[in-house]
């Protein structure tokens, strides 16, 4: 891997890590309203998969979507303003953390639901012969939703060009995957005649290598693919989670394999510090801009409910 | 000449849109030939438009979700629910997905989705295949609920729903599939307002002042017409019947104007009495035009019970011609 690719990848991953940590601080200081689901620790799966997509492809994501959004758009200002509830946010403060939109990028807060929506999007791209594919990020928790099985069944029957990028972070909120999921993950795809693979390592370059193969398969064959990505969130499910359901030993073990720290070690100290400084400055500029931005004009609150 | 039923009219509307717009796709259980759908509405269309109709697995939630994704990316999908009752299975996709995207993304996207839902009883299908579940969706901002009657042009209505940039749930009274669609009547002058989703206005006062305003929709209209014709012939009660095709969101102005003239209001629906569409209509009229009422409004609706299968039991639960006649007496005696 060329050093420039490492620099670029580290910058994207660090941006997500620093963004999420700053969001947590803003929440603890009472500056933010509602809740949020950080992806600290899962930066490699977000950046690794998104890196392999074309800009005209389509991404759907979940309640835990900041990392995917930043990897796709790099729009720190739009995301920060959205979470801070400002008119300058990507959805003018209507959606907040869980409901984000950018060109070809859609998130929603219902577990598994976007797997079906993404499948339909893939069929539309196929109908237009656009050559685009859809990447739907899902989590291990979504496998317990019937609609995901329904959607994958239809994707296989109807040859939808969709990559289901399944981030298996071992926990659906507080409940370990062994308590919610019978059998294996990849065998579910096999039963539906969907190609699949598991990436055991969350080293970002292992993720990129596997995602490149998966994306190429989906695009060349117009077929669905399930890519299981083993990962771990170092933070709680949401900001209101003390992580009482798992041991500090388990967390420490995953922390030792932190994909961001691993990549940091491959960079020169001065280079790494420069990247981190740039990212933090972007985030601070976004916070300052959002603090100075208005909330959406209440006279506009109904706009977009009905399209003409 | 074969009579034009509401069912045939819907089929004709679907055929026209399939011919005119290559982005229109039909998805549903058993909709392709030779079956042509549980109520045979799509029969022939899969042969006429190869590749444009997709037989779906029994996955109502998944199919509505897939269709929502298709709609977000430029297609105009039409989903057929085999029975409207099954829309409960797709409720999350309608309420938390299709109805939300445009607004929650600050107007950046459109969801031109149609879900056709055969609703209503009187065919002996029992508790899970006879309900009028549109009430469950009427309170979700962002969903348009449209219901044809035999006094509407159902082909034009389904065409308007497909052209709509918003998600539309299209309520098809099962009993209306075989009913003749006619916009002229020997008993009523019929007018239409508010395109593309017109209200049908039926008046038998022959230029005089009608005595009562009756508001209804969908499969209750033929019941109301029969009752009001008898009330006119036997008791000289002249009425104005208003049957909006867009039942949600509801434009109440037409109803209010009529009530301001008649002073009396009956609202009739087939679903259970409690928490229904009629309750909302009455509330709106009372709030805004209450001082024009000369009698307390009366609701006609089903009993607050599940729908039984046996015919005499179902007849007992659903509002019929006699129920409407009773409401007329009640409102005229005041």
């Amino acid at each position: 891997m060329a050093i420039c690719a490492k620099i670029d990848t580290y910058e994207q991953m660090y941006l997500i890590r620093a963004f999420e940590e700053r969001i947590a601080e803003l929440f603890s200081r009472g500056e933010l309203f509602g809740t949020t689901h950080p992806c600290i620790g899962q930066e490699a799966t977000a950046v690794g998969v998104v890196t392999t997509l074309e800009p005209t492809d389509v991404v759907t994501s979940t309640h835990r979507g900041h990392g995917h959004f930043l990897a796709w758009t790099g729009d720190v200002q739009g995301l920060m303003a959205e979470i801070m509830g400002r008119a300058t946010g990507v959805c003018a403060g209507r959606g907040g953390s869980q409901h984000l939109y950018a060109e070809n990028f859609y998130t929603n807060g219902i577990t598994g639901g976007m797997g079906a929506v993404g499948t339909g999007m893939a069929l539309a791209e196929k109908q237009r012969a656009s050559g685009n594919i859809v990447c739907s990020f899902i989590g291990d928790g979504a496998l317990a939703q019937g609609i995901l099985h329904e959607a994958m069944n239809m994707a296989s029957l109807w040859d939808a060009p969709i990559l289901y990028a399944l981030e298996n972070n071992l926990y659906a909120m507080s409940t370990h995957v062994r308590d919610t999921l019978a059998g294996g993950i990849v065998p579910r795809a096999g039963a539906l005649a969907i190609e699949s693979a598991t990436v055991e390592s969350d080293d970002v370059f292992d993720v990129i290598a596997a995602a490149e193969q998966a994306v190429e398969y989906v695009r060349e064959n117009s077929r669905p693919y399930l890519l299981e990505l083993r990962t771990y969130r170092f933070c709680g499910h949401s900001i209101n989670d003390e992580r009482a359901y798992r041991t500090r030993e388990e967390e420490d073990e995953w922390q030792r394999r932190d994909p961001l720290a691993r990549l940091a070690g491959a960079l020169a100290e001065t280079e790494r510090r420069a990247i981190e400084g740039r990212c933090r400055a972007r985030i601070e500029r976004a916070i300052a801009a959002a603090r100075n931005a208005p909330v959406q004009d209440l006279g506009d609150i109904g706009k977009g409910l009905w399209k003409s | 000449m074969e009579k034009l039923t509401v069912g045939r009219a819907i089929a004709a509307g679907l055929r026209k849109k399939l011919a005119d717009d290559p982005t229109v796709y039909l998805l549903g259980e058993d909709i392709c030939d030779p079956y042509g759908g549980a109520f045979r509405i799509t029969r022939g269309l899969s042969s006429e438009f190869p590749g444009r109709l997709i037989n779906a697995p029994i996955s109502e939630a998944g199919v509505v979700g897939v269709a929502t994704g298709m709609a977000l990316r430029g297609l105009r999908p039409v989903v057929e629910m085999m029975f409207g009752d099954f829309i409960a299975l797709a409720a999350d996709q309608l309420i938390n997905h299709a109805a939300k995207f445009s607004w929650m993304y600050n107007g950046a996207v459109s969801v031109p989705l149609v879900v056709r839902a055969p609703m209503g009883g009187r065919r002996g299908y029992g508790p899970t295949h006879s309900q009028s579940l549109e009430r469950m969706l009427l309170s979700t901002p962002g969903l348009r609920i449209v219901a044809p009657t035999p006094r509407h042009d159902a082909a034009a209505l389904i065409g308007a729903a497909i052209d709509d940039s918003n998600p539309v749930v299209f309520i098809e009274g099962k009993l209306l599939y075989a009913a003749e669609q006619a916009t002229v009547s020997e008993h009523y002058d019929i007018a239409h307002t508010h395109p593309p989703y017109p209200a049908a206005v039926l008046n038998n006062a022959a230029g005089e002042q009608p005595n009562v305003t009756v508001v209804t929709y969908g499969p209750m209209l033929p019941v109301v017409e029969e009752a009001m014709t008898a009330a006119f012939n036997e008791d000289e009660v002249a009425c104005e019947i208003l049957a909006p095709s867009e039942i949600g969101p509801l434009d109440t102005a037409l109803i209010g104007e009529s009530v301001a003239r008649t002073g009396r209001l009956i609202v009739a629906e087939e679903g259970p009495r409690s928490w229904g569409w009629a309750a909302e209509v009455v509330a709106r009229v009372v709030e805004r035009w209450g001082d024009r009422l000369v009698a307390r409004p009366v609701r006609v609706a089903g009993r607050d019970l599940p729908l039984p299968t046996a015919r005499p039991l179902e007849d007992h639960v659903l509002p019929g011609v006699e129920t409407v006649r009773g409401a007329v007496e009640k409102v005229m005696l005041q």
Side-chain angles (χ1 to χ4, degrees), chain B residues 131-144:
Chain B
Q131 299 163 94
S132 301
L133 293 186
E134 55 272 18
R135 61 182 48 224
M136 293 179 61
L137 301 170
L138 281 162
S139 57
T140 298
L143 287 182
R144 200 188 305 288

Side-chain angles (χ1 to χ4, degrees), chain A residues 260-281:
Chain A
L260 186 68
R262 205 178 319 157
L263 190 52
L267 299 179
E269 177 76 4
T270 49
E271 187 63 53
R272 183 177 63 76
R273 284 176 185 275
I275 290 170
E276 293 173 1
R278 276 201 301 275
C279 289
R280 284 197 300 268

Side-chain angles (χ1 to χ4, degrees), chain B residues 17-50:
Chain B
K17 293 311 297 182
L18 282 163
D20 291 353
D21 186 345
T23 66
V24 172
Y25 282 76
L26 272 50
L27 298 90
E29 294 152 16
D30 308 290
I31 63 170
C32 292
D33 292 334
Y35 205 73
F39 295 95
R40 306 300 190 271
I41 300 301
T42 56
R43 183 177 270 177
L45 295 179
S46 68
S47 304
E48 202 175 331
F49 301 96

Side-chain angles (χ1 to χ4, degrees), chain A residues 23-284:
Chain A
I23 290 289
E25 284 170 28
L26 292 173
F27 259 109
S28 65
R29 297 218 317 250
E31 196 164 337
L32 299 181
F33 181 61
T35 190
T36 192
H37 305 89
C39 64
I40 294 168
Q42 302 184 193
E43 299 86 355
T45 52
V47 171
V49 172
V50 169
T51 298
T52 65
L53 298 171
E54 298 294 331
T56 52
D57 288 334
V58 180
V59 176
T60 77
S61 174
T62 68
H63 60 291
R64 199 178 310 286
H66 300 172
H68 309 136
F69 180 91
L70 290 173
W72 183 253
T73 66
D75 182 8
V76 178
Q77 295 232 358
L79 179 59
M80 186 62 80
E82 184 61 32
I83 296 168
M84 291 175 74
R86 300 308 207 271
T88 48
V90 290
C91 296
R94 293 176 175 191
S97 168
Q98 300 191 72
H99 314 98
L100 304 171
Y101 172 79
E103 190 175 358
N104 296 342
F105 184 95
Y106 310 77
T107 80
N108 198 4
I110 303 289
T111 298
M114 293 303 274
V117 174
T119 301
M121 291 173 162
L123 291 168
E125 295 304 315
K126 181 185 159 194
Q127 188 271 347
R128 288 198 292 127
S130 67
N132 300 329
I133 70 166
V134 173
C135 170
S136 279
F137 282 99
I138 52 178
D140 48 284
L143 288 171
Q145 292 280 19
I147 194 168
L148 192 68
H149 172 78
E150 297 180 10
M152 289 173 66
N153 183 48
M154 285 181 270
S156 186
L157 285 169
W158 302 337
D159 295 321
I162 180 167
L163 170 64
Y164 300 103
L166 189 152
E167 293 172 311
N168 178 4
N169 68 10
L170 298 181
Y171 290 88
M173 285 191 68
S174 74
T175 308
H176 196 277
V177 69
R178 70 175 163 261
D179 296 328
T180 60
L181 204 70
I185 290 175
V186 159
R188 284 167 157 73
L192 298 169
I194 292 177
E195 287 291 318
S196 60
T198 299
V199 188
E200 301 277 356
S201 151
D202 65 351
D203 183 288
V204 68
F205 297 108
D206 292 337
V207 175
I208 289 173
E212 272 176 346
Q213 279 192 13
V215 165
E216 187 185 340
Y217 170 87
V218 171
R219 209 183 298 281
E220 294 300 310
N221 299 284
S222 188
R223 287 286 300 165
Y225 193 102
L226 176 69
L227 186 63
E228 181 197 359
L229 304 156
R230 297 282 174 83
T231 184
Y232 197 81
R233 62 171 153 74
F234 300 153
C235 53
H237 161 75
S238 68
I239 48 153
N240 306 306
D241 175 5
E242 302 303 323
R243 315 188 318 280
Y245 46 86
R246 60 192 194 189
T247 65
R248 294 301 92 102
E249 289 73 24
E250 177 186 297
E251 292 185 349
D252 289 346
E253 190 192 322
W254 281 92
Q255 288 270 10
R256 279 194 292 278
R257 297 196 262 143
D258 179 354
L260 186 68
R262 205 178 319 157
L263 190 52
L267 299 179
E269 177 76 4
T270 49
E271 187 63 53
R272 183 177 63 76
R273 284 176 185 275
I275 290 170
E276 293 173 1
R278 276 201 301 275
C279 289
R280 284 197 300 268
R282 281 175 75 185
I283 292 163
E284 293 314 311

